[in-house]
Every structure is written in C-alpha cells, then in structure tokens.
Amino acid sequence: MERIRKIVIQGREILAIDYSGLKEPGMINLAIEVKRLLLHDADEKLINSFHNVFVTPGYVRYMERESEEIKHLIKRNTLVGLNLPKMMILKGFNLLMNTDFRAFATEKEAIEYLIGEPLSDDVAPIFM
C-alpha cells in the first residue's frame, strides 16, 4: 500500500497521506517523505489519515521543528481518524504553529472542505 498518493477528485488534486497503523519511527519517516515531496512539488491540499496511531511527543516535536519550512506551501490540510486526545494535540499544534489544520469525522467532509464544494458523486474511500 502506498502511503503517499496524489488523487484527483472533481478535477482537483489532493495529496493523500496515510499514517494509519504506524509507530513513531514510521510516522516520522513518512513525514520526512511528505516534506521532501512538498518542497520539490508543492501540493496545496492534503488529507491525512491518523487511524490506529498513537501521536507521541517525539512525533509532535518533530512536526513542530520541521513544519515551519513547509507550512506556507499548504493551502488546506485535513486530518481524519482523530479521537479526542488527537484533536486536543491538533488544537495545541495549530495554536503554537499558527496553522489552521482541520479535523473531520469523515473523508467525505474533509474532501468537500479541500475542494470547496459538495461531492457530485460517491467517491470510493481513500484510506482502507
């Protein structure tokens, strides 16, 4: 399974990033790959899956250090699969880093926010 994919929905490109099931080293390695990709070929819209992961202090510290360089490249960033503790971490991250990354209960809601309009058709799940 590819953890980073470019998808096109209703003519708009979205970068899908799947952190699902990863442990801290895997999450940091994936974040390194995403940063490298964004610096090379900026994608403005991102959807991230955080299903079945534990967001560790080490991962959060890494993201705090490394996201400053790329946050201006991201127009909209959405996250799915967040429980209450992960939502609190996101809220703190947004306050600390002056970002507006948003959590959504469903992929559909996240996609509609990213593309700025309702989905015209049923879209297959991005993350399995």
Side-chain angles (χ1 to χ4, degrees):
M1 169 173 69
E2 291 184 54
R3 296 240 176 224
I4 304 171
R5 298 179 287 137
K6 288 187 180 188
I7 58 174
V8 177
I9 298 176
Q10 292 180 199
R12 292 180 182 85
E13 194 171 89
I14 297 170
L15 188 65
I17 305 154
D18 189 1
Y19 287 93
S20 298
L22 293 177
K23 304 287 186 214
E24 181 182 284
M27 292 175 71
I28 290 172
N29 287 335
L30 184 56
I32 290 167
E33 288 300 313
V34 170
K35 180 180 177 183
R36 187 176 307 140
L37 179 62
L38 289 173
L39 288 171
H40 180 264
D41 181 25
D43 287 280
E44 297 180 342
K45 298 176 180 148
L46 303 142
I47 184 169
N48 299 270
S49 174
F50 283 89
H51 291 283
N52 301 314
V53 298
F54 180 68
V55 177
T56 64
Y59 173 75
V60 173
R61 296 293 92 76
Y62 173 81
M63 294 304 290
E64 288 170 353
R65 284 191 313 272
E66 299 299 321
S67 65
E68 190 66 40
E69 188 177 358
I70 59 170
K71 72 179 185 178
H72 70 281
L73 301 172
I74 302 168
K75 183 176 180 181
R76 292 184 177 190
N77 190 6
T78 62
L79 297 89
V80 295
L82 274 60
N83 56 16
L84 186 58
K86 290 180 217 171
M87 283 194 255
M88 297 305 293
I89 292 168
L90 175 62
K91 185 175 181 176
F93 184 87
N94 280 336
L95 286 170
L96 178 68
M97 301 302 296
N98 195 30
T99 54
D100 186 26
F101 300 164
R102 297 192 183 186
F104 290 89
T106 67
E107 287 181 15
K108 180 181 183 218
E109 292 170 325
I111 292 166
E112 288 178 339
Y113 168 75
L114 291 173
I115 66 174
E117 65 185 32
L119 289 172
S120 57
D121 297 317
D122 285 335
V123 176
I126 297 169
F127 306 109
M128 300 288 171

